[in-house]
């Protein structure tokens, strides 16, 4: 494929020549606050995707997973997400220090619709609500406090097209490479096998979740 074969869209006017303006109700669905329905979905969501970008616009998306109900709704405009042990890169947190704008996508298993939240985030090292974020007696070292600016529902089409929740469409995991194999090949590690990496990762996953 040659660059000359790619027709890029360079302006919103060009974009709107292809995708028509939505109806006013689509714009109006942003309620900008955490209402009772949003609280219910957040309470049943075990996984939220956190999108951030740095000052130059370099982006990152990080999954945040805990038992459903672990994201705290503090009031109609604030929620808190605990940080759990990970790989110590803290890409999202480093982005927030440079650009506080974040996007959240809450997933509920078996539900094709998702809840979208956009707002401004602050990294918090302690607060009265940290006790409520504790799991297995362990308080998080950090949490993300998000001030909600936009909140609305996202329709089911992406999940329907992907058949995400239908196990019969899932690939055979045994036919896919393990994370150890991927790391071994991508990082070109010497002196350690893919099997050993997988074993170490499994131990870390069991002993270092919280």
């Amino acid at each position: 494929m040659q660059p000359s074969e790619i027709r890029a869209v360079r302006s919103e006017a060009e974009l709107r020549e292809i995708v028509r303006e939505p109806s006013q109700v689509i714009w109006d669905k942003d309620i900008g606050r955490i209402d009772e329905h949003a609280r219910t979905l957040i309470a049943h969501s075990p996984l939220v995707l956190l999108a951030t970008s740095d000052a130059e616009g370099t982006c990152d998306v990080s999954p945040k997973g805990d038992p459903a109900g672990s994201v705290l709704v503090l009031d109609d405009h604030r929620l808190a997400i605990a940080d759990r042990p990970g790989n110590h890169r803290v890409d999202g947190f480093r982005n927030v220090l440079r650009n506080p704008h974040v996007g959240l996508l809450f997933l509920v298993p078996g539900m094709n619709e998702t809840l979208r939240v956009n707002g401004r985030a602050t990294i918090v090292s302690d607060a009265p609500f940290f006790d409520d974020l504790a799991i297995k007696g362990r308080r998080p070292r950090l949490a993300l406090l998000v001030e909600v600016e936009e909140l609305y529902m996202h329709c089911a089409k992406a999940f329907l097209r992907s058949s995400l929740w239908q196990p019969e469409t899932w690939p055979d995991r045994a036919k896919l490479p393990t994370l150890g194999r991927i790391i071994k090949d991508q990082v070109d590690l010497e002196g350690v096998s893919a099997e050993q990496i997988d074993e170490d990762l499994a131990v870390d996953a069991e002993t270092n979740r919280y």
Side-chain angles (χ1 to χ4, degrees):
M1 182 184 301
Q2 300 299 317
S4 59
E5 298 178 281
I6 300 174
R7 181 181 177 184
V9 175
R10 302 295 186 186
S11 69
E12 188 168 343
E14 288 183 83
L15 179 63
R16 286 303 180 193
E17 288 180 4
I18 301 169
V19 182
R20 62 177 172 80
E21 285 278 355
S23 63
Q24 189 58 43
V25 70
I26 298 299
W27 293 116
D28 292 343
K29 69 178 182 176
D30 168 25
I31 63 173
R33 60 184 175 83
I34 308 172
D35 70 344
E36 61 176 313
H37 297 301
R39 287 173 180 262
T40 297
L41 295 182
I42 292 172
H44 287 82
S45 173
L47 182 68
V48 57
L49 305 181
L50 168 67
T52 61
S53 70
D54 64 17
E56 288 71 44
T58 301
C59 298
D60 179 77
V61 178
S62 177
K64 304 296 181 182
D66 265 329
S70 297
V71 172
L72 297 183
V73 175
L74 303 177
D75 53 44
D76 288 352
H77 296 280
R78 297 182 304 163
L79 56 84
I81 304 171
D83 181 54
R84 307 299 184 189
N87 59 18
H88 296 188
R89 284 181 55 117
V90 292
D91 295 307
F93 280 172
R94 289 189 292 114
N95 282 347
V96 167
L97 291 173
R98 297 166 175 81
N99 175 6
H101 298 282
V102 300
L104 304 173
L105 187 68
F106 287 92
L107 281 68
V108 177
M111 184 173 180
N112 291 318
E113 297 80 12
T114 52
L115 177 68
R116 294 178 61 165
V117 176
N118 299 318
R120 298 173 67 89
T122 302
I123 303 169
V124 181
S125 61
D126 198 13
F129 57 77
F130 268 47
D131 287 339
D132 295 324
L133 292 173
I135 292 182
K136 295 185 177 180
R138 297 184 180 180
R139 298 167 91 247
R141 293 179 298 175
L142 297 168
L144 203 65
L145 180 63
V146 179
E147 297 182 30
V148 175
E149 296 177 332
E150 296 180 303
L151 185 149
Y152 54 94
M153 293 298 299
H154 194 98
C155 76
K157 290 180 182 176
F159 282 74
L160 292 173
R161 285 190 287 255
S162 67
S163 301
L164 181 65
W165 303 125
Q166 299 179 24
E168 65 272 17
T169 70
W170 297 351
D172 181 354
R173 184 63 183 89
K175 295 181 179 179
L176 299 177
T178 67
L179 180 55
R181 169 49 58 192
I182 294 171
I183 292 174
K184 169 73 174 176
D185 293 343
Q186 290 184 342
V187 185
D188 194 25
L189 293 176
E190 297 183 2
V192 59
S193 67
E195 292 75 18
Q196 184 60 57
I197 297 172
D198 281 324
E199 290 179 13
D200 292 344
L201 289 171
V203 171
D204 181 68
E206 284 299 318
T207 63
N208 195 32
R209 292 188 191 183
Y210 297 103

